[in-house]
mmCIF file of all heavy atoms in Angstrom:
data_model
loop_
_atom_site.group_PDB
_atom_site.id
_atom_site.type_symbol
_atom_site.label_atom_id
_atom_site.label_comp_id
_atom_site.label_asym_id
_atom_site.label_seq_id
_atom_site.Cartn_x
_atom_site.Cartn_y
_atom_site.Cartn_z
ATOM 1 N N ALA I 155 15.649 12.190 37.555
ATOM 2 C CA ALA I 155 15.452 13.546 38.052
ATOM 3 C C ALA I 155 16.734 14.058 38.674
ATOM 4 O O ALA I 155 17.534 13.287 39.200
ATOM 5 C CB ALA I 155 14.330 13.572 39.085
ATOM 6 N N VAL I 156 16.911 15.354 38.580
ATOM 7 C CA VAL I 156 18.034 15.997 39.235
ATOM 8 C C VAL I 156 17.495 17.196 39.991
ATOM 9 O O VAL I 156 16.619 17.909 39.518
ATOM 10 C CB VAL I 156 19.103 16.460 38.218
ATOM 11 C CG1 VAL I 156 20.180 17.274 38.909
ATOM 12 C CG2 VAL I 156 19.716 15.272 37.507
ATOM 13 N N ILE I 157 18.026 17.385 41.171
ATOM 14 C CA ILE I 157 17.503 18.416 42.044
ATOM 15 C C ILE I 157 18.574 19.488 42.225
ATOM 16 O O ILE I 157 19.766 19.194 42.206
ATOM 17 C CB ILE I 157 17.135 17.756 43.397
ATOM 18 C CG1 ILE I 157 16.208 18.620 44.223
ATOM 19 C CG2 ILE I 157 18.374 17.404 44.183
ATOM 20 C CD1 ILE I 157 15.715 17.852 45.447
ATOM 21 N N SER I 158 18.138 20.736 42.338
ATOM 22 C CA SER I 158 19.129 21.779 42.594
ATOM 23 C C SER I 158 19.126 22.117 44.072
ATOM 24 O O SER I 158 18.092 22.464 44.641
ATOM 25 C CB SER I 158 18.806 23.039 41.784
ATOM 26 O OG SER I 158 18.004 23.914 42.520
ATOM 27 N N GLY I 159 20.248 21.989 44.702
ATOM 28 C CA GLY I 159 20.309 22.225 46.139
ATOM 29 C C GLY I 159 19.841 20.997 46.875
ATOM 30 O O GLY I 159 18.709 20.567 46.728
ATOM 31 N N ARG I 160 20.706 20.405 47.657
ATOM 32 C CA ARG I 160 20.319 19.214 48.411
ATOM 33 C C ARG I 160 19.261 19.572 49.441
ATOM 34 O O ARG I 160 19.191 20.702 49.914
ATOM 35 C CB ARG I 160 21.540 18.636 49.128
ATOM 36 C CG ARG I 160 22.535 18.015 48.202
ATOM 37 C CD ARG I 160 23.889 17.958 48.834
ATOM 38 N NE ARG I 160 24.442 19.291 49.038
ATOM 39 C CZ ARG I 160 25.631 19.533 49.551
ATOM 40 N NH1 ARG I 160 26.387 18.530 49.944
ATOM 41 N NH2 ARG I 160 26.057 20.769 49.688
ATOM 42 N N ARG I 161 18.445 18.609 49.765
ATOM 43 C CA ARG I 161 17.436 18.854 50.792
ATOM 44 C C ARG I 161 17.998 18.579 52.175
ATOM 45 O O ARG I 161 17.507 19.043 53.176
ATOM 46 C CB ARG I 161 16.209 17.973 50.550
ATOM 47 C CG ARG I 161 15.376 18.397 49.357
ATOM 48 C CD ARG I 161 14.405 17.320 49.001
ATOM 49 N NE ARG I 161 15.079 16.102 48.547
ATOM 50 C CZ ARG I 161 14.479 14.936 48.387
ATOM 51 N NH1 ARG I 161 13.199 14.813 48.668
ATOM 52 N NH2 ARG I 161 15.160 13.884 47.966
ATOM 53 N N SER I 162 19.031 17.751 52.215
ATOM 54 C CA SER I 162 19.696 17.457 53.486
ATOM 55 C C SER I 162 21.068 16.898 53.154
ATOM 56 O O SER I 162 21.429 16.794 51.989
ATOM 57 C CB SER I 162 18.880 16.443 54.282
ATOM 58 O OG SER I 162 19.002 15.172 53.674
ATOM 59 N N ASP I 163 21.805 16.501 54.166
ATOM 60 C CA ASP I 163 23.145 15.990 53.861
ATOM 61 C C ASP I 163 23.127 14.528 53.438
ATOM 62 O O ASP I 163 24.170 13.931 53.191
ATOM 63 C CB ASP I 163 24.099 16.215 55.042
ATOM 64 C CG ASP I 163 23.541 15.621 56.318
ATOM 65 O OD1 ASP I 163 22.421 15.059 56.267
ATOM 66 O OD2 ASP I 163 24.198 15.726 57.359
ATOM 67 N N HIS I 164 21.958 13.950 53.353
ATOM 68 C CA HIS I 164 21.878 12.595 52.821
ATOM 69 C C HIS I 164 20.851 12.559 51.693
ATOM 70 O O HIS I 164 19.943 11.745 51.667
ATOM 71 C CB HIS I 164 21.532 11.587 53.915
ATOM 72 C CG HIS I 164 20.384 12.013 54.782
ATOM 73 N ND1 HIS I 164 20.537 12.830 55.864
ATOM 74 C CD2 HIS I 164 19.060 11.744 54.693
ATOM 75 C CE1 HIS I 164 19.349 13.027 56.427
ATOM 76 N NE2 HIS I 164 18.451 12.391 55.730
ATOM 77 N N GLU I 165 21.038 13.473 50.794
ATOM 78 C CA GLU I 165 20.157 13.578 49.635
ATOM 79 C C GLU I 165 20.186 12.281 48.835
ATOM 80 O O GLU I 165 21.243 11.734 48.550
ATOM 81 C CB GLU I 165 20.631 14.745 48.754
ATOM 82 C CG GLU I 165 19.852 14.945 47.477
ATOM 83 C CD GLU I 165 18.392 15.217 47.747
ATOM 84 O OE1 GLU I 165 18.093 16.199 48.441
ATOM 85 O OE2 GLU I 165 17.540 14.433 47.283
ATOM 86 N N THR I 166 18.991 11.791 48.486
ATOM 87 C CA THR I 166 18.923 10.535 47.732
ATOM 88 C C THR I 166 18.922 10.754 46.229
ATOM 89 O O THR I 166 19.414 9.923 45.476
ATOM 90 C CB THR I 166 17.651 9.761 48.123
ATOM 91 O OG1 THR I 166 16.532 10.661 48.053
ATOM 92 C CG2 THR I 166 17.769 9.239 49.540
ATOM 93 N N LEU I 167 18.344 11.867 45.806
ATOM 94 C CA LEU I 167 18.298 12.171 44.380
ATOM 95 C C LEU I 167 19.634 12.729 43.910
ATOM 96 O O LEU I 167 20.339 13.371 44.679
ATOM 97 C CB LEU I 167 17.212 13.229 44.153
ATOM 98 C CG LEU I 167 15.987 12.894 43.308
ATOM 99 C CD1 LEU I 167 15.542 11.464 43.485
ATOM 100 C CD2 LEU I 167 14.865 13.847 43.619
ATOM 101 N N PRO I 168 19.946 12.504 42.651
ATOM 102 C CA PRO I 168 21.113 13.190 42.097
ATOM 103 C C PRO I 168 20.902 14.697 42.262
ATOM 104 O O PRO I 168 19.794 15.181 42.087
ATOM 105 C CB PRO I 168 21.070 12.823 40.613
ATOM 106 C CG PRO I 168 20.274 11.573 40.541
ATOM 107 C CD PRO I 168 19.286 11.638 41.675
ATOM 108 N N SER I 169 21.951 15.397 42.599
ATOM 109 C CA SER I 169 21.755 16.815 42.875
ATOM 110 C C SER I 169 22.959 17.652 42.461
ATOM 111 O O SER I 169 24.063 17.144 42.316
ATOM 112 C CB SER I 169 21.512 17.023 44.372
ATOM 113 O OG SER I 169 22.720 16.844 45.074
#
Side-chain angles (χ1 to χ4, degrees):
Chain I
V156 173
I157 197 172
S158 92
R160 290 158 293 181
R161 288 167 295 168
S162 73
D163 55 359
H164 47 275
E165 177 60 59
T166 49
L167 244 36
S169 73

